[in-house]
Amino acid sequence: MSSGHSGEQIVSAAKTVFDLLQRRDYDAALTAALAIPADHPDRDALERVAWARMGRFPEAVVAGRRHLARGGASNEDWFRQAQILLRSGALEEAFAVGMTALSQAPEDWRLLIPVVEAVLAEPRLELRLRAEAAAIIVRHPRVLPPAFDGQGGVLLANRLPHIAPLGGEHPLYFRFCEYLDPIPRYRPESYGAGLLAAAIDALPRAAFAVERLMAAGIGVGRRAAARYVASRFPTLLVNHQGCAIELALQQTMTLGELPYFVIFDFMPMLFYPFSPTEHMSFPEDDEELFRIIGHELDSPACLGFQVYTETQKSLLSAVFDNPRLGQKAHFINFLSSVEPDVEISTRLRPRGEEPTVTLLFAASFAPSEDGFYMRGGVDAINAFAELYEEFPHLRLILCGQLPRSLSARLADLVEHHPAITWRREYIPQAEYEEMLAENDIFVSPAIATFRNGLIQAMERGLVPVVSDGHYAAEFVSHEVNGLVVEGRKRLADVVSGGGFRSDWRALYGAVDHPSDAEFYAAFKAALRRLITGRDLLRRMSERNLKDGSRHQFSPVDIERFRTLVGDAVRRV
């Protein structure tokens, strides 16, 4: 029987659900999903996603069961259903779903994680795992990934698929690690083949890690310990023999089998993958996981943190209410450019002398669409458009991709406004230098201080207008070398007495107009001050030309980095 809906209507309805999920409007996404005809193949999957994002796991389980029963479900569907079942406490069903999926896709590493978590949380399932895995292992024997050919090396594991979301392909991370020469580095990119056989071999080490956490005296039960260990389990499939330490970006995803340093950047990533970065509240979200993370960072296996602001030291201590974490932090300026040897433009000049005023907004070139919203792109475009009506000599250069969920009005404005230059692709550093020479004001109404673009701009004489996100005050002195707009810090902040909370979902939902009218008004007023106050713009620009290099990566930082890592390798 026909549903009465045309194919185009159904496709449009599914797109609406995707857009609402991207905007974090989960109630509306659920309503839209339920409005899709019941016989549509994606209807139950979209409903499952909406329920799960709302934390309504029992309802998500029911929708997921219906979707799997239809047939033709993807590996992603099986994986998500197993995850949701685990969060619902249905360990045996989660195990069964995971094993069914592994029998169909035995080389999908993601499917190992819920199976391993179920076994670690309920050890009697191990016998079932070994019995059911035997037939799969015969067809898919273990093939080891390339081994590390060296001794005293450094493990750089961030290209492994389960770690990549932390920034595994971040070019600055790998470019920075080149300064470790002659210390050898091991960069595994896969787990090899025959993953189920490898998992069976690694299971005793994972079980030992669970018992270690339960015996640590931090009030952690088996379920929480199993969840933490399973999230890092794929690292056990890689042979890092010959490595002395790990150098991790953002957060270690290993289990302390190697001592490690963390190149620490973005606070919410400490809690990956247990809560979405844009909406978390620890310890309330999961007190046991919060204790585990704090315990592991305080353990002897964590050799310390490399930080690029002094503020990060105090934040690490404050989040976990533990002064020892701040004491383990080492200040080293990080690279702000993947091509640090490119000369800074010789056309450095104090701003405020040209008839035009040009704003620079740089979003992330990462594949995720969230970077544009996190950096305040909606505020930046709207502010430019409104100020342009008053000041037709104003210009905007916008760097980065636009999200698909952005309103048609703003997307059209960026593409067709005569005073906007849109650079959507990656810009080589030499070309970026020339572009910086044409700009006057660096705008960043972001939820945090994104250091790299800010430092490059300030050193070249641009005047920043930034939000008050963490670390901002360490780079920008209000009314001395830039303007700081209050109102974003509360979206991601440390909790008094220990903990961390973030909630910037409203920025993802504001696809056409700014989400915070008060912040937006203050941001636009700050820009107007610099557009109309040429003396102020020139004075701040001269200050940045004089002082901007104090936060720039230098040979001193290279030597600090080599010494820090080299001493650790020798001690181990």
Side-chain angles (χ1 to χ4, degrees), residues 272-419:
Y272 172 83
F274 305 116
S275 286
T277 56
E278 74 271 11
H279 185 218
M280 63 173 61
S281 181
F282 279 95
E284 291 86 354
D285 284 354
D286 195 313
E287 189 164 347
E288 289 181 274
L289 281 172
F290 181 75
R291 292 192 198 122
I292 290 173
I293 294 167
H295 173 266
E296 294 296 273
L297 296 177
D298 191 33
S299 72
C302 179
L303 301 173
F305 309 90
Q306 178 191 319
V307 297
Y308 57 76
T309 74
E310 295 295 332
T311 310
Q312 289 169 305
K313 296 180 181 180
S314 59
L315 286 177
L316 283 165
S317 293
V319 167
F320 296 98
D321 195 22
N322 183 349
R324 290 190 298 274
L325 297 186
Q327 293 164 7
K328 293 170 78 168
H330 305 265
F331 175 83
I332 299 175
N333 276 317
F334 198 61
L335 279 169
S336 59
S337 166
V338 75
E339 303 173 64
D341 299 326
V342 173
E343 290 187 8
I344 294 177
S345 172
T346 56
R347 295 188 293 127
L348 295 178
R349 59 178 175 83
R351 270 53 174 189
E353 298 176 334
E354 302 295 328
T356 59
V357 175
T358 303
L359 312 181
L360 172 64
F361 173 81
S364 173
F365 283 100
S368 169
E369 296 189 352
D370 294 345
F372 175 88
Y373 293 115
M374 289 172 62
R375 286 163 169 78
V378 169
D379 293 74
I381 296 172
N382 275 285
F384 165 78
E386 293 179 17
L387 290 168
Y388 178 81
E389 295 301 315
E390 298 179 53
F391 310 105
H393 60 282
L394 192 62
R395 302 290 181 266
L396 170 65
I397 296 179
L398 190 150
C399 301
Q401 302 284 342
L402 296 182
R404 288 169 293 179
S405 55
L406 191 67
S407 73
R409 179 183 74 88
L410 290 186
D412 183 73
L413 192 71
V414 170
E415 195 157 3
H416 299 110
H417 195 290

Side-chain angles (χ1 to χ4, degrees), residues 50-112:
W51 283 123
R53 297 283 181 88
M54 296 163 68
R56 301 278 293 273
F57 297 121
E59 293 91 339
V61 164
V62 173
R65 285 175 182 150
R66 289 199 307 267
H67 184 61
L68 296 184
R70 288 178 183 271
S74 66
N75 291 355
E76 173 76 8
D77 290 319
W78 288 95
F79 171 65
R80 296 302 178 189
Q81 182 70 359
Q83 279 192 318
I84 293 166
L85 287 162
L86 287 168
R87 301 292 73 79
S88 301
L91 300 180
E92 292 201 33
E93 187 178 354
F95 173 83
V97 166
M99 287 305 297
T100 299
L102 276 171
S103 69
Q104 302 168 3
E107 301 301 346
D108 190 334
W109 63 271
R110 296 175 305 167
L111 300 173
L112 287 176

Side-chain angles (χ1 to χ4, degrees), residues 148-204:
F148 176 53
D149 183 19
Q151 291 294 322
V154 175
L155 173 65
L156 308 177
N158 283 67
R159 278 185 175 157
L160 290 174
H162 76 294
I163 307 178
L166 288 166
E169 289 299 324
H170 200 299
L172 293 182
Y173 169 70
F174 288 110
R175 179 69 176 84
F176 188 56
C177 291
E178 290 177 6
Y179 290 109
L180 290 176
D181 284 338
I183 300 172
R185 278 94 63 197
Y186 177 41
R187 294 177 173 172
E189 299 186 11
S190 75
Y191 312 107
L195 299 188
L196 200 50
I200 296 292
D201 291 342
L203 198 59

